């Protein structure tokens, strides 16, 4: 039984060695050109910022570097079991390019990614290649006695050095094979650990500082607290609407029906009038309850999704509104869907009430793991996020889901408000 167990462990270690060699070779071949490309593009783009070109290109370069770093984080966790957190500050795509560029440059994660690329080019390449060398170099030694030495030793008496063994003939080739066998034992034992060195190096370079993680925790705490406050305020609003609206009507209707019971024999005409009034009160109460339910979670949103719900919103507006939806592949999670719906509703209400717009455009699309919504109007402009502003409430609502809000609204218009929420389609 012990023999079988050891045999199984050996087979598992051999598979791990081969897998580590293959993965390391793939990482080395793929990472070196991509790291060089990302580093060079970053330097060139940042160098061009003073003449204006860099302000346009840097956000896209940084976004590409972050996507590449995210891919390497995923590979470290999947292949090496090494989890590498990230703490990027959210940067919306549609704000002023100068503001967007300098916001990215103020993010410590941008410079950490750049330093990682610089280190990854030599050290990352070598540590990724090491497992493959540990496995393939012994294979070469084992192949020398099979005639490979004749290919290397073209001139008689001139040795081909395999490690510290000079190979000149068949006998010395067997000596090289013995060394190869020893090296293969070393590879069998240390190839997987060698690949771990690469992932640990990546972890050391990409892991955010404690200060950044603490800041991230503070942001999450604040957004969650805002979500709780918003939910409490929403519950109070619902209670108030029920008390002042439908509940009051239902109480009045009950009193009218009590009066009808007393008058039905004495004054039938007055009883009929009160019954008609009670019927109107019941219809009004039912309408208010429907509006209240629609304000909590619109039926069209639950039944047909975000795109159709926003289209239904647009149909009720007094301003011509065009809605474009590209959400192919499924729906977002219900909480995100609800937050996005009410955020769009708030933006449309603001556009109608305050902008003086004659036309509104709404664009919804999903890509790169983010739901992106833009609301544009041709109004007077001048919108800004600030205390007491409806946009501040929208920003708090999105912050619950790590979403961001960007506003571009110069005086004279147009106004474009863009929201981005990380999510997946299901």
């Amino acid at each position: 039984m012990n023999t079988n167990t050891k045999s199984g462990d050996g087979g598992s270690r051999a598979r791990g060695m081969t897998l580590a060699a293959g993965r390391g070779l793939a990482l080395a071949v793929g990472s070196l050109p991509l790291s060089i490309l990302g580093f060079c593009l970053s330097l060139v783009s940042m160098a061009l910022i003073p003449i204006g070109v860099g302000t346009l290109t840097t956000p896209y370069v940084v976004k590409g570097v972050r996507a590449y770093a995210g891919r390497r984080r995923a590979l470290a966790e999947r292949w090496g079991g090494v989890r590498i957190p990230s703490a990027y500050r959210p940067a919306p795509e549609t704000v002023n390019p100068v503001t967007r560029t300098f916001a990215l440059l103020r993010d410590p994660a941008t410079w950490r990614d750049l330093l990682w690329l610089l280190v990854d080019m030599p050290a990352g390449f070598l540590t990724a290649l090491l497992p493959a060398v540990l496995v393939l170099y012994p294979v070469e030694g084992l192949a020398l006695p099979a005639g490979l030495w004749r290919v290397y030793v073209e001139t008689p008496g001139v040795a081909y050095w395999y490690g510290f063994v000079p190979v000149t003939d068949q006998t010395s080739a067997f000596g090289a094979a013995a060394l190869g066998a020893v090296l293969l034992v070393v590879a069998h034992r240390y190839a997987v650990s060698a690949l771990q060195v690469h992932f640990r190096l990546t972890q050391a370079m990409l892991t955010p500082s404690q200060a950044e993680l603490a800041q991230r925790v503070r942001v999450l705490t604040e957004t969650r607290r805002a979500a709780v406050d918003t939910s409490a305020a929403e519950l109070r609003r619902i209670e108030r609407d029920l008390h002042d609206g439908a509940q009051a009507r239902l109480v009045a209707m009950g009193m009218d029906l009590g009066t009808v019971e007393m008058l039905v024999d004495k004054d039938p005409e007055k009883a009929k009038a009160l019954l008609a009034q009670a019927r109107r009160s019941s219809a009004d109460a039912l309408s208010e309850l429907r509006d209240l339910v629609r304000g909590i979670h619109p039926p069209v949103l639950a039944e047909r999704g975000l795109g159709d719900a926003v289209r239904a919103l647009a149909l009720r507006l007094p301003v011509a509104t065009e809605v474009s939806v590209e959400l192919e592949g499924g729906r977002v999670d219900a909480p995100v869907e609800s937050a996005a719906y009410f955020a769009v509703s708030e933006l449309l209400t603001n556009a109608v009430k305050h902008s003086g717009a004659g036309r509104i455009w709404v664009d919804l699309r999903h890509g790169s793991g983010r739901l992106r919504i833009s609301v544009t109007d041709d109004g007077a402009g001048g919108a800004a996020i600030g205390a007491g502003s409806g946009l501040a409430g929208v920003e708090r609502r999105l912050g619950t889901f790590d979403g961001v809000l960007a506003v571009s609204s110069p005086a004279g218009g147009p106004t474009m408000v863009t929201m981005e929420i990380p999510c997946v389609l299901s």
Side-chain angles (χ1 to χ4, degrees):
M1 182 176 294
N2 291 337
T3 302
N4 290 339
T5 301
K6 290 180 181 179
S7 176
D9 289 344
S12 175
R13 190 181 291 274
R15 286 192 297 272
M17 173 189 71
T18 305
L19 199 58
R23 288 173 171 175
L25 185 61
L27 276 171
V29 172
S31 66
L32 182 61
L34 290 176
S35 294
I36 293 174
L37 178 64
F39 185 77
C40 293
L41 285 178
S42 297
L43 290 185
V44 171
S45 183
M46 292 176 184
L48 294 176
I49 289 177
I51 63 174
V53 177
T55 59
L56 300 176
T57 59
T58 298
Y60 296 101
V61 173
V62 171
K63 183 178 179 180
V65 169
R66 289 184 175 186
Y68 174 52
R71 176 63 178 166
R72 294 288 292 277
R73 286 187 178 92
L75 287 178
E77 184 170 7
R78 188 185 313 157
W79 288 356
V82 177
R83 187 176 182 277
I84 307 174
S86 63
Y88 295 117
R89 296 175 183 174
E93 297 183 358
T94 54
V95 295
N96 181 280
V98 176
T99 305
R100 182 172 70 244
T101 296
F102 283 97
L104 290 170
L105 294 181
R106 285 193 297 269
D107 187 352
T110 300
W111 301 102
R112 184 171 54 250
D113 286 351
L114 197 61
L115 180 60
W116 164 69
L117 289 174
L118 180 62
V119 173
D120 190 63
M121 286 185 286
F125 172 75
L126 292 176
T127 53
L129 192 61
L130 182 59
V133 173
L134 283 175
V135 174
L136 296 179
Y137 192 59
V139 171
E140 179 192 0
L142 294 174
L144 287 173
L148 184 62
W149 70 273
R150 291 188 175 88
V151 177
Y152 293 155
V153 181
E154 297 179 354
T155 303
V158 178
Y160 167 74
W161 286 86
Y162 178 78
F164 57 82
V165 177
V167 179
T168 56
D169 53 21
Q170 187 69 38
T171 302
S172 56
F174 278 113
L179 176 59
V182 173
L183 294 176
L184 190 61
V185 172
V186 174
H188 185 264
R189 177 66 180 83
Y190 293 107
V192 175
S193 300
L195 186 60
Q196 282 289 317
V197 173
H198 172 82
F199 294 134
R200 293 298 177 185
L201 174 66
T202 305
Q203 182 186 45
M205 297 304 302
L206 287 180
T207 298
S209 66
Q210 290 299 320
E212 291 176 80
L213 292 175
Q215 174 65 22
R216 179 65 172 161
V217 171
R218 276 197 301 272
V219 170
L220 291 175
T221 301
E222 291 171 1
T223 56
R224 299 308 181 264
R225 186 184 298 119
V228 172
D229 293 343
T230 301
S231 298
E234 190 70 10
L235 287 174
R236 289 193 296 270
R237 180 190 68 81
I238 293 170
E239 181 181 7
R240 184 178 63 252
D241 290 347
L242 283 172
H243 182 271
D244 298 341
Q247 179 180 331
R249 291 186 183 279
L250 290 173
V251 170
M253 187 174 64
M255 295 175 62
D256 289 342
L257 291 175
T259 305
V260 168
E261 288 180 344
M262 294 185 294
L263 295 177
V264 68
D265 293 326
K266 297 178 182 179
D267 192 347
E269 292 300 323
K270 190 171 183 179
K272 288 181 181 179
L274 288 174
L275 283 173
Q277 181 177 331
R279 185 173 64 251
R280 289 192 297 272
S281 295
S282 68
D284 292 340
L286 182 60
S287 177
E288 288 184 0
L289 286 173
R290 284 173 176 167
D291 291 340
L292 184 62
V293 171
R294 189 179 295 112
I296 298 172
H297 195 78
V300 67
L301 180 62
E303 295 169 4
R304 303 184 62 180
L306 182 61
D308 286 340
V310 172
R311 290 190 181 100
L313 271 178
L315 290 175
R316 296 198 295 268
L317 296 178
V319 177
T321 304
E322 181 180 332
V323 179
S324 173
V325 179
E326 292 185 17
L327 299 177
E328 299 178 1
R331 293 176 56 173
V332 299
D333 292 338
V336 175
E337 197 172 57
S338 179
Y341 172 83
F342 286 109
V344 172
S345 177
E346 178 73 20
L347 294 178
L348 291 176
T349 301
N350 287 347
V352 171
K353 287 185 176 180
H354 307 300
S355 72
R359 193 169 187 83
I360 301 173
W361 296 266
V362 182
D363 182 77
L364 294 90
R365 62 185 66 245
H366 184 275
S368 302
R370 302 178 75 86
L371 175 66
R372 184 173 182 271
I373 307 171
S374 64
V375 178
T376 308
D377 66 67
D378 59 359
I385 302 174
S389 155
L391 292 175
V394 172
E395 187 176 42
R396 287 194 300 272
R397 185 188 294 272
L398 298 180
T400 306
F401 303 93
D402 288 341
V404 293
L405 179 73
V407 180
S408 174
S409 184
T415 295
M416 183 176 186
V417 181
T418 302
M419 301 172 286
E420 288 190 356
I421 308 175
C423 63
V424 295
L425 296 182
S426 59

